[in-house]
Amino acid sequence: MITGAQRLPALSKIGGQGLSENPVSNRVSRLGVGLASILAFSCGVILLYRLATLPPYPWLFVLVGLMLLAMFCRYQRIQRLGPVVVAATLGLVWAGWNADMRLAERLPSEWETKRIVVSGYLCDLPTPGSFDSLRFGFCVLHWQAPGVSVDNNLPRVLRLSWYGREGRRLPDHRLTLEVTLKRPQGNLNPDGFRYEDWLFRHGYRATGSVKQVSAAPELSCALQCQYHAWHWRASKKLQRWFGEAEYYPLIASLLMGNRGSLEDHHWQVLKSTGTIHLVAISGLHLGLVAVGVGLLARWGLLLLPVGGLSEQGRRSLVFLVVVLSCLVYSLLAGFTVPTRRALVMVVAGGWYLLKARQQSGWRPFVLALAVVLLMDPFAPLDQGFWLSFGAVGVLLAVFSGRLGSSGWLSALLIAQLAVFVGLWPMLMLVHQGQPFAGFTANLLAVPWVSFAVMPVLFLGAIIALFSGGWLLPWVSAGFDLVLGALWWWLELVARFPAGQMQPLPLPLAAGLALLALWGIRWRDWRWRALLGVTFLLLSVPWSGTGAGNSVARAPEVRVLDVGQGLSVVVRAGGRVMVYDTGPEVTGVYSAADSVLVPNLRAMGVEVIDLLVLSHADNDHAGGLETLSEHFAIKRVISGEPALITGRVPVTVEGCRPGNIRWPGLVMSLWQNPLPAAGNDASCVIRVYHPSSNSDFVLTGDISRKVEQLMLGGGGPEWLENRVAQRVVLAPHHGSKTSSSTRWVQAVAPDQVIYTAGYRHHFGHPHPEVTGRYRASGAVPLNTACSGQITLRFADSGLLISELWQTQPFWIASPGLARSECKIP
């Protein structure tokens, strides 16, 4: 028997040191540290892509070693924080090692644009491109080029386009190709789609065009090659079965993840209704497979004799069937990045359900996040990574830990509203808008796809597979019926332009989203109403388009990188001038849509005070209709007004000599006084900053003939004035038809900027032209090398910066295309 006096020391021991020895407490502590370490590993991987240079591996390993040694000391805080720091560092090391291995694959610069023979196999499904081309990824097994040795770390995956094929198809999955290649390179601007990022994320270390194609069945085909061959044959069979169906592009997208058949009008409807996620095989589709297969497997097991399997055995068998079914569907869908990510999340969530653990839903979420980054450390470069995990996180925040249950309709409304609101700041983070039509469209589209479209597609595919083909017309008609209803709804919503939620500072948008999510989760209707009204007042664009522009701190000029073309933005105070809009190929590419619009949005521009179109050539005046849809345009001037009239909603003025005064700037216009068309009609503008006595001369595409007129009696007066610093935009992208020796000497620029495409077939700028500018002492810059070039006017003079120098390691590292880009 223990007396009270004997019990006191025992209680004291339990309350002190004994508490730390409690097995339950220690287990909870270990779980907390383990979860924090998993999260820290994920943060370490993500952190790498915010760095300008890859971290040195020796120092990272030294840091890991020091933390491991420190964990052996008795200082409790270090013991708790040590695993977290080690995990974060290991995440950084893991991502850095993979990135370094990918960057090490380089095409020798002397091989660019030369014909090379490669042998290998298709890495993805070929998709139709512009001008009857065929685009595909190609995994190289053998290189046939002069000077190749086994020590060369050449690119393993190429992004190729086959032009001039005249309707021919690839003869086999394994091929020998004659190609011309270039290093990874694309238009480089602060905002908009960046092809260079996309290439690095997907592992394409060279791009090029195909000159000759021949089958190579003699090549060995390992497991990965065999999978791609099976996937290629499956896609061809699906096209034979349903290629004549009205909605075949949607069928191919939803069954096999093949979105190559979707046309421009499909993408426009999906984008305007916020439903692009429906045609990307991701969490929604694999979740439907998991639920459907799980229910079928569970019902099938009920047919077994009682006692044949324990309850745990039944649950394990259902879990195994679900995982295998999701894996098969993922493989059929191409095992793309979103599909792999969704598969990991399904497996992680299913595992926790299998174990019937009464734990927070955030545990499988964090575990899935870490597994995805372990399998694919480049995932943070994919917008879908942030949106998919963001959507799951929003749903967990709204539904986890709630007492009671909601009806299916109430749950659907809550889920759609939560995702719509919660993803708003995340879409802003990846430079996308949140269309108001998205909520309405998804409200019916998601359940229709879940309970009608996907079951019909799966059942129809199985019937087609086992029927021998004689039921294909009926199956195809069923597909068109359910997809036709879906598309009718999306087109109906897309016809009513509802606009987008207005862009706000990211912290404010995130705070509003959290406030709205709190209101959705809170059951008191008064709180919901108050928070909802607050959210609407601050997020709905009451003022509409054209309220005003953000104010530039100092006058600046941005020469955008639009490839082989020209587009320049001038800002002074709250005023904006756009000089040319870049190239456009109808149905293929528009610099206005891909570059100009997103970058103007990012600058806070809503009104274009002055739009100057040097002349009407397509590489200078493309995408006017797109620009007019997004911005209010006050005034338009063009060197060829008759050809521009009707393409913009305002009167187009001719380019008349004169001055336009803005805060801190004087802009002088000049044009060839003789009748001319095309290049020689270009409107020339001088942007002058009196405080620093410096200027920037925009020349369009004038030729030597017009240059001679500029130097004569009819030329602009300012040409004879000496300035402290002058920057000139090389006429006609540096063509040898322009920039005569006399004109270059008269203008006497300190810097010259060429706007040309990287390794473009036009060969701009021409070596003769660059030689003239160098002889005059001008420092050359080229948007093909520099990306966007920014000129800021200060009292001390012009400050010039090149965007590529401040970019992440996969763009700015030594030895890559931009660091070795040379102006001839």
Side-chain angles (χ1 to χ4, degrees), residues 38-77:
I38 293 173
L39 186 59
F41 172 84
S42 305
C43 292
V45 174
I46 294 171
L47 175 64
L48 180 82
Y49 300 102
R50 307 299 298 176
L51 303 179
T53 58
L54 285 173
Y57 296 107
W59 289 107
L60 291 177
F61 281 114
V62 168
L63 177 60
V64 171
L66 291 175
M67 290 306 303
L68 290 174
L69 289 175
M71 288 168 57
F72 286 100
C73 72
R74 294 188 176 183
Y75 191 51
Q76 192 173 15
R77 183 168 296 178

Side-chain angles (χ1 to χ4, degrees), residues 671-677 680-681 705 709:
Q671 188 184 24
N672 174 10
L674 300 179
D680 285 349
K705 177 183 177 181
L709 293 173

Side-chain angles (χ1 to χ4, degrees), residues 12 79 114 118 140 155 177 215 253 282 338 348 358 366 451 493 496 500 546 572 583 634 668 688 741 780 807:
S12 175
Q79 290 179 341
K114 294 182 179 179
V118 293
V140 181
L177 307 173
S253 299
S282 56
Q358 297 297 320
V366 173
F451 300 115
V493 176
F496 298 94
Q500 296 183 345
K634 290 185 176 180
S668 303
Y688 177 59
T741 301
Q807 292 307 290

Side-chain angles (χ1 to χ4, degrees), residues 11-150:
L11 290 174
S12 175
K13 184 177 180 180
I14 292 174
Q17 181 182 358
L19 187 62
S20 63
E21 297 175 358
N22 188 327
V24 175
S25 176
N26 287 340
R27 181 173 179 271
V28 171
S29 178
R30 286 195 300 271
L31 285 174
V33 172
L35 191 64
S37 300
I38 293 173
L39 186 59
F41 172 84
S42 305
C43 292
V45 174
I46 294 171
L47 175 64
L48 180 82
Y49 300 102
R50 307 299 298 176
L51 303 179
T53 58
L54 285 173
Y57 296 107
W59 289 107
L60 291 177
F61 281 114
V62 168
L63 177 60
V64 171
L66 291 175
M67 290 306 303
L68 290 174
L69 289 175
M71 288 168 57
F72 286 100
C73 72
R74 294 188 176 183
Y75 191 51
Q76 192 173 15
R77 183 168 296 178
I78 292 181
Q79 290 179 341
R80 290 181 178 178
L81 293 179
V84 176
V85 176
V86 168
T89 307
L90 289 177
L92 199 62
V93 170
W94 172 244
W97 178 75
N98 280 275
D100 189 51
M101 294 291 289
R102 180 163 290 183
L103 289 178
E105 299 178 22
R106 296 180 183 177
L107 181 77
S109 59
E110 60 270 19
W111 287 9
E112 290 189 287
T113 69
K114 294 182 179 179
R115 294 206 172 198
I116 298 171
V117 177
V118 293
S119 299
Y121 58 90
L122 296 177
C123 288
D124 56 18
L125 298 178
T127 59
S130 57
F131 306 110
D132 191 36
S133 65
L134 203 63
R135 298 178 180 179
F136 54 90
F138 191 72
C139 289
V140 181
L141 297 177
H142 303 292
W143 290 81
Q144 300 176 35
V148 175
S149 68
V150 293

Side-chain angles (χ1 to χ4, degrees), residues 339-359:
T339 309
R340 293 198 299 266
R341 186 166 56 241
L343 179 63
V344 170
M345 298 178 76
V346 167
V347 172
W351 177 259
Y352 268 74
L353 290 176
L354 171 66
K355 296 301 181 180
R357 296 184 176 182
Q358 297 297 320
Q359 294 178 348

Side-chain angles (χ1 to χ4, degrees), residues 577 579-580 610-616 635-642 644 651-660 667-674 676 678-686 698-700 702 706 714 716 718:
M577 177 183 80
Y579 183 89
D580 287 348
L610 177 61
L611 173 61
V612 179
L613 302 165
S614 61
H615 58 302
R635 186 181 180 188
V636 179
I637 297 175
S638 175
E640 296 183 288
I644 301 299
T651 302
V652 181
E653 306 173 24
C655 181
R656 300 182 181 87
N659 294 331
I660 300 174
M667 292 177 289
S668 303
L669 282 68
W670 181 86
Q671 188 184 24
N672 174 10
L674 300 179
N679 293 343
D680 285 349
S682 294
C683 185
V684 177
I685 294 185
R686 178 213 192 195
L698 297 158
T699 57
I702 60 173
V706 179
W718 52 261

Side-chain angles (χ1 to χ4, degrees), residues 537-621:
L537 286 175
L538 293 178
S539 62
V540 173
W542 297 100
S543 55
T545 302
N549 300 325
S550 63
V551 177
R553 295 182 178 179
E556 67 173 22
V557 177
R558 300 193 186 193
V559 183
L560 300 178
D561 181 10
V562 293
Q564 188 69 27
L566 178 62
S567 184
V568 179
V569 178
V570 180
R571 300 174 67 203
R575 297 188 181 183
V576 173
M577 177 183 80
V578 174
Y579 183 89
D580 287 348
T581 56
E584 180 184 41
V585 180
T586 305
V588 178
Y589 173 77
S590 169
D593 186 46
S594 300
V595 177
L596 189 54
V597 169
N599 281 277
L600 287 174
R601 288 290 188 205
M603 296 177 207
V605 174
E606 292 188 8
V607 178
I608 297 175
D609 297 275
L610 177 61
L611 173 61
V612 179
L613 302 165
S614 61
H615 58 302
D617 282 4
N618 196 49
D619 59 335
H620 291 254

